[in-house]
Amino acid sequence: MDPIITTFALYIIGMMAIGYYFYKANEDTEDYFLGNRGLNAPVTALSAQASDMSGWLLMGFPGAIYAGGFHAMWIGIGLAVGTYLNWQFTASRLRYYTEVVDAITIADFFENRFRDDSRALRMVTGLVILIFFTIYVSSGLVAGGTLFENILGVDYDIAVYIAVVIIALYTFLGGYLAVSWSDFIQGSLMFLALIIVPVSVVSSMGGLGELWGAVAEMNPDLLHAFRTVEFFPGEGAVWQTAGEGVNAMDLISNIAWGLGYFGMPHIIVRFMSIDDGKQLPVAQTIGVTWVVITLIGAVFVGIIGIATFAEPLGNPETVFLELLQEVMNPWVGGVFLAAVLAAIMSTVDSQLLVSSSALTEDFYKAFFRREASDGELLFFSRASVIAITLIALYFAMAGGRILDIVGYAWAGLGSAFGPAILFSLYWKKTNRYGVLAGIIAGGATVIIWNNFFAFTGLYEIVPGFLLSSLIIFVVSLLGPETDPEIAEEFEQVREMARD
Amino acid sequence: MESLPASTWFWLVVPNLIIVLLSLGRLIYSRRGDS
């Protein structure tokens, strides 16, 4: 019996069992999408973090570190700071605001917050979610495919199909409660993997000094946060320094990843589901500590990879997978390989859920079936999980670098929704025209920049976020006086969120 | 024995430490007067 495959199979069965248990327990769509705002602080914290950190954390990011050394850690620092700011400034206000205006999705929030009876905000929000989450989900399928290809030794195409079946079945069954609880377990497993693996490998090497020494043998610049190193597998010197000094454009682009957080529906929706808003500081402390430790762990995984493999890896994003198989006991390795699947599933399931709620609430119910029963909506939302998965599967078949696919979706969502959320929560005068224009401008800038201005080397989230903010500000400023009812509601939320 | 440059250590540890401490600070502040 192969230990890796056995552990893996047991893990998947366990997660499915959780899904099935909650499948029985889901009574309506608020249960399915929000778990009826009944989660405690640790579950809220870890489910937010596990939904955030996808195959990116255990594959994309360590791969970037493996290929570029410490210079690639700036994305991690940007994300850690972004996570903190998001908990600090978005969580509490959004939790109370969505309760006061009775919203269970981000589209509900915009529509109810601005009393938008035209439905335009809802439609545009739903559309942006569908476009960028389909891309995002496809990055999860690429990661799942790479994972199964690597451990089962099957072709990538077949591996992607296996990943799809497992992920879709699991999301389809459980809904939000299952996703939140299993995210909690998956988040814990990712955390343990990213502590135990680096610590045990470094100690078996004989300490950090040995690690730095082995890395410096490849290229001492890999140890510098401000020197750019490029990866050339198959050539003489695999790691080559690309010129002197800091590349400012790179540095800004990497740190700017952190801007994305305020607009990630699958993450901020977690803030809404905590049972008691006063517990948010507890959840924040757990969440931020989790993210800091796992990101540092992921940096070490990439660095250890440089020192470990005699032959450079064909695909740097498999560094964690290869490391587990190379240096860990197969039973332990199997558990931690399951952590990679955990990371992938815990993100894809949340994203499928948000996308299916967009299709269900923002299109189906809003435009076609206003009188639809809860049972009908639940059925439709499950069918839409399958539909979105199939479209994402089509994109995933083309493969690609996980980091790039995630980066595109991340920029799109972050630029479209980040400024809109922040302005809605913090500026009373923000109006629906401003938010509508801002969402469109943010999303469109990312698509245009990615296709026509990539040569600048600037990550598209920077222009997208800035332009969206500017437009919301200007359009809202020119708009009519704020409705007194909306203004009063705004003040009420401000009072509630004061801790 | 090779060592990691001080600036790399600094940027790896300090920003992360600050945000954890700020979060802890908010937690403690939010609990004031509870006990």
Side-chain angles (χ1 to χ4, degrees):
Chain A
M1 196 166 51
D2 185 277
I4 288 183
I5 294 174
T6 309
T7 334
F8 226 81
L10 284 175
Y11 177 80
I12 292 167
I13 293 168
M15 287 296 124
M16 293 281 180
I18 295 179
Y20 185 72
Y21 172 79
F22 285 108
Y23 178 70
K24 294 282 178 193
N26 281 328
E27 284 173 358
D28 57 30
T29 42
E30 178 141 350
D31 269 356
Y32 189 72
F33 291 130
L34 263 194
N36 260 330
R37 298 188 202 269
L39 302 181
N40 63 27
V43 173
T44 304
L46 260 68
S47 77
Q49 299 311 141
S51 306
D52 167 12
M53 290 302 176
S54 56
W56 182 90
L57 178 68
L58 295 168
M59 298 173 80
F61 186 45
I65 298 280
Y66 174 81
F70 276 101
H71 180 256
M73 79 175 179
W74 293 102
I75 300 180
I77 295 170
L79 288 181
V81 173
T83 301
Y84 162 75
L85 295 173
N86 204 24
W87 279 106
Q88 183 75 28
F89 295 108
T90 314
S92 183
R93 286 215 177 183
L94 189 68
R95 164 68 180 77
Y96 290 114
Y97 225 137
T98 54
E99 189 180 3
V100 167
V101 301
D102 191 25
I104 61 172
T105 67
I106 298 304
D108 284 345
F109 170 65
F110 287 136
E111 183 168 274
N112 300 356
R113 154 81 171 81
F114 295 106
R115 305 285 191 280
D116 178 32
D117 45 20
S118 73
R119 307 244 135 173
L121 263 179
R122 178 178 288 280
M123 198 179 71
V124 168
T125 303
L127 197 64
V128 170
I129 284 180
L130 283 175
I131 293 172
F132 289 106
F133 269 139
T134 307
I135 297 170
Y136 215 143
V137 168
S138 81
S139 82
L141 301 183
V142 171
T146 309
L147 173 68
F148 285 114
E149 179 189 25
N150 192 281
I151 59 170
L152 299 178
V154 295
D155 282 349
Y156 174 76
D157 289 8
I158 297 170
V160 173
Y161 285 123
I162 298 174
V164 163
V165 170
I166 291 173
I167 292 167
L169 192 63
Y170 161 77
T171 312
F172 181 77
L173 282 177
Y176 195 93
L177 268 178
V179 166
S180 299
W181 275 97
S182 61
D183 277 3
F184 177 76
I185 298 167
Q186 316 218 48
S188 308
L189 190 59
M190 288 152 73
F191 185 77
L192 289 176
L194 282 170
I195 293 178
I196 295 174
V197 175
V199 168
S200 66
V201 179
V202 170
S203 60
S204 73
M205 284 176 124
L208 284 175
E210 302 295 327
L211 174 64
W212 311 138
V215 172
E217 261 179 46
M218 301 296 175
N219 182 342
D221 286 342
L222 285 164
L223 298 173
H224 285 264
F226 294 101
R227 288 190 197 159
T228 314
V229 176
E230 286 174 4
F231 181 65
F232 298 97
E235 289 176 37
V238 178
W239 284 276
Q240 298 173 16
T241 305
E244 288 296 305
V246 192
N247 181 338
M249 203 65 107
D250 262 10
L251 202 63
I252 293 169
S253 294
N254 284 341
I255 294 174
W257 276 70
L259 285 176
Y261 274 106
F262 314 108
M264 290 302 143
H266 63 299
I267 302 172
I268 59 179
V269 77
R270 303 293 155 139
F271 300 150
M272 292 152 53
S273 57
I274 196 165
D275 51 3
D276 174 7
K278 297 278 172 243
Q279 292 300 312
L280 277 168
V282 181
Q284 171 176 348
T285 308
I286 298 171
V288 170
T289 308
W290 186 97
V291 88
V292 160
I293 292 175
T294 54
L295 284 170
I296 292 177
V299 168
F300 273 85
V301 166
I303 294 292
I304 289 167
I306 298 172
T308 303
F309 303 108
E311 283 286 308
L313 299 173
N315 177 2
E317 297 192 328
T318 60
V319 59
F320 186 62
L321 312 181
E322 297 288 347
L323 200 61
L324 289 175
Q325 294 168 73
E326 175 108 357
V327 300
M328 302 298 281
N329 165 296
W331 288 100
V332 181
V335 174
F336 291 145
L337 280 172
V340 180
L341 185 64
I344 297 167
M345 295 212 310
S346 60
T347 304
V348 174
D349 60 7
S350 312
Q351 294 172 338
L352 281 173
L353 216 54
V354 171
S355 324
S356 94
S357 80
L359 267 180
T360 309
E361 302 279 328
D362 308 336
F363 290 100
Y364 187 69
K365 188 178 171 192
F367 294 102
F368 302 108
R369 294 273 303 164
R370 286 197 188 201
E371 304 306 319
S373 70
D374 263 342
E376 182 182 338
L377 291 176
L378 205 56
F379 173 80
F380 185 84
S381 65
R382 287 187 165 130
S384 55
V385 165
I386 296 177
I388 295 159
T389 311
L390 289 177
I391 300 171
L393 175 65
Y394 173 77
F395 289 120
M397 280 300 170
R401 207 161 73 115
I402 299 165
L403 194 75
D404 297 333
I405 308 173
V406 171
Y408 188 37
W410 184 263
L413 294 162
S415 303
F417 298 134
I421 291 280
L422 290 175
F423 274 96
S424 302
L425 295 177
Y426 281 94
W427 194 37
K428 202 191 312 186
K429 206 172 155 36
T430 311
N431 67 32
R432 61 179 172 171
Y433 308 106
V435 166
L436 185 65
I439 293 174
I440 295 170
T445 306
V446 166
I447 294 173
I448 293 168
W449 197 274
N450 182 281
N451 285 290
F452 300 105
F453 298 96
F455 68 89
T456 57
L458 184 66
Y459 183 27
E460 53 267 26
I461 202 168
V462 178
F465 194 94
L466 292 178
L467 192 66
S468 175
S469 305
L470 183 72
I471 286 180
I472 296 174
F473 180 70
V474 172
V475 174
S476 296
L477 208 57
L478 298 174
E481 278 297 302
T482 311
D483 180 301
E485 194 180 291
I486 295 179
E488 193 185 319
E489 208 167 67
F490 182 92
E491 290 302 336
Q492 185 191 347
V493 172
R494 175 146 73 183
E495 206 47 51
M496 289 168 88
R498 189 168 288 161
D499 54 42
Chain B
M1 185 78 85
E2 196 71 35
S3 61
L4 197 63
S7 69
T8 306
W9 270 126
F10 179 86
W11 288 105
L12 184 65
V13 174
V14 174
N16 289 316
L17 197 61
I18 291 174
I19 58 174
V20 170
L21 291 176
L22 284 172
S23 299
L24 263 176
R26 181 185 184 196
L27 175 59
I28 293 164
Y29 180 75
S30 75
R31 290 291 165 91
R32 73 199 186 285
D34 280 2
S35 62

